[in-house]
Structures are given as C-alpha cells and as structure tokens.
Amino acid sequence: MKLMAVFIGFFLYFGEKTTSSNVKLFALPSQSSVSYEGFHPLHNWTAKSNAVVCVINYNPDKQEIVTVAASAKVVSFDSKNSNRDSNAMEKIEALLFPRVSFTGDSIVANAGKMTIVGNLSFHGVTKKISVNAQTSL
C-alpha cells in the first residue's frame, strides 16, 4: 500500500486567545475530515476520518496563520471495506501507533493559496512534507 495523497478539510470556529496577539482556532468536528488515497494494481481506494482534531494559531494583527496541528486516530479511517480496514489496522500496528498527526510551522499565503510545511507522523515515522491549500473566509 502506498500513501499517495492526503486531503484535509476543516471548518473553523474561534476559540481562545493564546498570547496577547494570537487566537487559537479549532476545527468543527462535525464538518472536518482527513482522507487518504491508496493505489494498487488491482484497485484504488479512499479512506476518510471524520474524527479529526485540528488547532490553528492565528495572528489577527498580522492576519496570518502561525502554526497548524491536526491529529486523528488511525482506527477512525473508513475505506467502506471493513476487511481492508481491519487488515490495515493490523499492518500499521494501530495499537502501538494509534494516531496520525501533522504539525505545520511554516505557512506561506499568497492570493488565496497557502503552502504549509510541517511534519507528518505516521507509524512511528516523522517526515517533513509540504501541503498546498486554498484559503477562503
């Protein structure tokens, strides 16, 4: 199984001030998701989790995102095939590595688009990745 794409969708609500200038934003759990696509010579699939937790530190004075953190339990991903999901949990050792997480600390926004560079942690391995996103208010 090769992880080819990660899609993240978050709807935010305002939370609390973290410093004198930053505001912590939280994703609305009922409207947020993370998914991945798997590719195999015989078939492709998408698995989605609606149980994602996301926190964004936002600086309203500078109108910029300072950091992003998102996490989901690996057992919450559903590919619409319980046999595949069960086998995946065994292969990825879900009991030893129960979460997949992303922390982004380099965010560049330009003309409604963002590039977020951060660390994706999955199955005990952390890898620096770059994620492209679109912004809208």
Side-chain angles (χ1 to χ4, degrees), residues 36-51:
Y36 72 87
E37 292 181 347
F39 302 92
H40 186 274
L42 298 178
H43 58 276
N44 301 333
W45 68 93
T46 299
K48 181 178 178 180
S49 171
N50 292 317

Side-chain angles (χ1 to χ4, degrees), residues 29-103:
S30 62
Q31 298 178 25
S32 303
S33 66
V34 176
S35 62
Y36 72 87
E37 292 181 347
F39 302 92
H40 186 274
L42 298 178
H43 58 276
N44 301 333
W45 68 93
T46 299
K48 181 178 178 180
S49 171
N50 292 317
V52 61
V53 176
C54 177
V55 179
I56 294 175
N57 274 324
Y58 178 76
N59 184 319
D61 297 332
K62 295 181 181 179
Q63 294 187 347
E64 68 181 12
I65 296 172
V66 180
T67 60
V68 176
S71 179
K73 291 182 180 180
V74 294
V75 297
S76 68
F77 285 86
D78 181 10
S79 70
K80 304 297 185 206
N81 181 319
S82 61
N83 188 44
R84 177 177 37 235
D85 294 339
S86 176
N87 288 333
M89 293 307 105
E90 182 180 338
K91 295 293 184 199
I92 65 170
E93 300 176 292
L95 294 175
L96 293 174
F97 306 102
R99 301 193 79 78
V100 58
S101 63
F102 175 76
T103 55

